[in-house]
Amino acid sequence: MSNNHDVIIVGGGMVGASLAAALGQANLRVAVIENGDAPEAVAAEAEFGLRISSLNLAAVRLLEDIRAWPLIPDARRCRFRRIEAWDEHDSRGITFDADALDLPEFGYFVENRLLCHAVWQRLKALPAVTLHTRTAPQALRHNGDQAELELASGKTLTASLVVGADGASSTIRDLARITTVDHGYQQRALIINVATRLPQQDVSWQRFTPDGPQAMLPLPGHRASLVWYGNPERTREREQLDDETLRDTIDREFPTRLGGVEAVLGRASFPIRRRHARQYSTDRTVLVGDAAHVIHPLAGQGLNLGLQDAATLASELIATTTRSGDPGERQVLARYARRRRPQVLAMIAATEGFHHLFTGPAPLRMVGNAALGLANRVTPGKRLMMRIALGLSPG
Ligand SMILES: Cc1cc2nc3c(=O)[nH]c(=O)nc-3n(C[C@H](O)[C@H](O)[C@H](O)COP(=O)(O)OP(=O)(O)OC[C@H]3O[C@@H](n4cnc5c(N)ncnc54)[C@H](O)[C@@H]3O)c2cc1C
């Protein structure tokens, strides 16, 4: 049987699109199925979008490899060179400085929509990639060396492998009958874009409180993205405040080092959960990104993990096809899972540790707060936190 494609990727978000670009560049025949529209260009003078991600250097390297990074204008990406974390009682906390590690920076803050648009620009330029928007899969079958995907548009596509890159509520995961382990935190994250009185600094900070962390992600110019975790009811109440009242509340409740807020420019809130697929692959189907794992965003590592899934899977699939192998073969998918699962489990354990140490019962919080001060002095503790911030395996 001859397949229309080598790989079908369902989900053209940041992870699926990056994987498609890496494979398309190596001349694998790829189809991308996205149930939304192609991402739109963002005007140079537009305000920053609400969804911002911290990208570590490994993620930037992948985006450079697929030549999407230069398509993100300098004026809209914000490099950070320092990370600070402290608790509400002790402002000494822990500090990381890129200089001390001879690194040019720790990473960048970038709008998700801009990143997605940049990667799609690359996809449109790759002849080996076919894009199908506004359609979704309805049925998935496999037959010998063929996976068959039936779309809502009525088309049926065939390939050696189907990749589920369709996010936390993945349809491909369901169609492949892969189950998940789920955990709901009693928390929501309120994201607030603000105009700040102070100019942008190259530091990202986080203060831990018993209700959840408060974080400041710098953006270019007098702009910042604040993330305020809290119990769902209180977060909903804050989200409903008018702009001026919300601004005054931030000025009152956020650390003084924010330097004050001129104006609230936008806000949205998101539920916080953890979800982990019990397996990453089954017959001719494999999962990447949030379809495989959703983690607490407090360490800002979900997308970074997903992009590493994409880089790892791309390297396995390209190596296999270069020696005329079958990219959907069980051993190839097992190798990918073996390389990724321990990294993801270690990151889940680390983010869980942070969450419980700083929002758990008072005795545990005391341990967390002491650990933060201690970690600043004790090299192994600091090294562990550093590895998490850089998106390296904590192990
Ligand atoms: C508050 C918050 C802050 C975060 N901050 C950070 C951060 O600073 N750094 C970081 O690394 N991570 C961060 N994350 C995590 C990060 O946003 C996710 O890990 C990342 O967006 C996952 O990308 P993805 O491409 O796997 O999935 P998604 O971004 O969900 O993309 C999935 C794509 O699939 C499409 N799709 C869905 N269903 C179907 C279907 N049935 N058929 C076809 N297409 C479909 C969707 O339209 C979408 O385009 C944060 C998360 C939250 C909630």
Side-chain angles (χ1 to χ4, degrees), residues 11 13-15 34-35 51 53-54 137 166 171 290 300-304:
M14 296 175 284
V15 174
E34 165 58 45
N35 67 359
R51 295 305 305 267
S53 291
S54 65
D166 45 351
T171 301
D290 275 19
Q301 293 301 332
L303 174 60
N304 287 314

Side-chain angles (χ1 to χ4, degrees), residues 161 281-282 284-286 327-337:
L161 176 67
S281 66
T282 175
R284 298 203 170 267
T285 308
V286 68
E329 222 173 48
R330 192 182 287 260
Q331 293 92 311
V332 177
L333 307 185
R335 223 167 22 240
Y336 156 77

Side-chain angles (χ1 to χ4, degrees), residues 6-140:
D6 294 310
V7 181
I8 300 170
I9 299 173
V10 178
M14 296 175 284
V15 174
S18 299
L19 174 64
L23 298 178
Q25 247 174 217
N27 285 323
L28 269 78
R29 295 166 307 152
V30 180
V32 177
I33 316 298
E34 165 58 45
N35 67 359
D37 289 315
E40 284 176 11
V42 177
E45 64 285 359
E47 265 304 341
F48 289 91
L50 278 167
R51 295 305 305 267
I52 308 281
S53 291
S54 65
L55 293 175
N56 61 29
L57 294 181
V60 172
R61 201 174 318 127
L62 167 65
L63 295 167
E64 281 170 348
D65 287 348
I66 61 172
R67 288 179 252 158
W69 189 243
L71 303 178
I72 300 172
D74 264 350
R76 295 193 79 102
R77 56 193 191 200
C78 182
R79 150 177 128 125
F80 63 104
R81 300 167 48 76
R82 286 177 298 140
I83 303 169
E84 294 177 11
W86 69 95
D87 76 272
E88 58 175 356
H89 301 299
D90 180 356
S91 58
R92 283 170 300 173
I94 190 164
T95 304
F96 303 104
D97 198 320
D99 274 347
L101 293 160
D102 283 332
L103 288 173
E105 64 265 318
F106 282 132
Y108 290 82
F109 290 104
V110 181
E111 290 157 88
N112 291 4
R113 59 181 184 169
L114 222 69
L115 182 54
C116 228
H117 179 256
V119 181
W120 273 68
Q121 290 304 99
R122 283 293 297 141
L123 293 184
K124 287 177 181 169
L126 291 169
V129 178
T130 318
L131 299 166
H132 302 256
T133 52
R134 292 191 179 196
T135 186
Q138 283 204 318
L140 173 65

Side-chain angles (χ1 to χ4, degrees), residues 194-215:
V194 294
T196 52
R197 297 206 179 98
L198 294 178
Q200 182 264 317
Q201 298 166 40
D202 58 1
V203 59
S204 163
W205 53 247
Q206 183 146 196
R207 174 170 76 161
F208 292 99
T209 80
D211 289 338
Q214 299 170 324

Side-chain angles (χ1 to χ4, degrees), residues 47 50 192-198 219 222-226 242-251 258-267:
E47 265 304 341
L50 278 167
I192 315 162
N193 279 8
V194 294
T196 52
R197 297 206 179 98
L198 294 178
L219 294 173
H222 284 248
R223 294 288 183 272
S225 165
L226 306 182
D242 63 67
D243 284 352
E244 282 192 8
T245 316
L246 183 56
R247 183 198 61 199
D248 295 344
T249 312
I250 295 167
D251 271 348
L258 180 61
V261 169
E262 284 292 353
V264 166
L265 304 171
R267 86 284 291 276

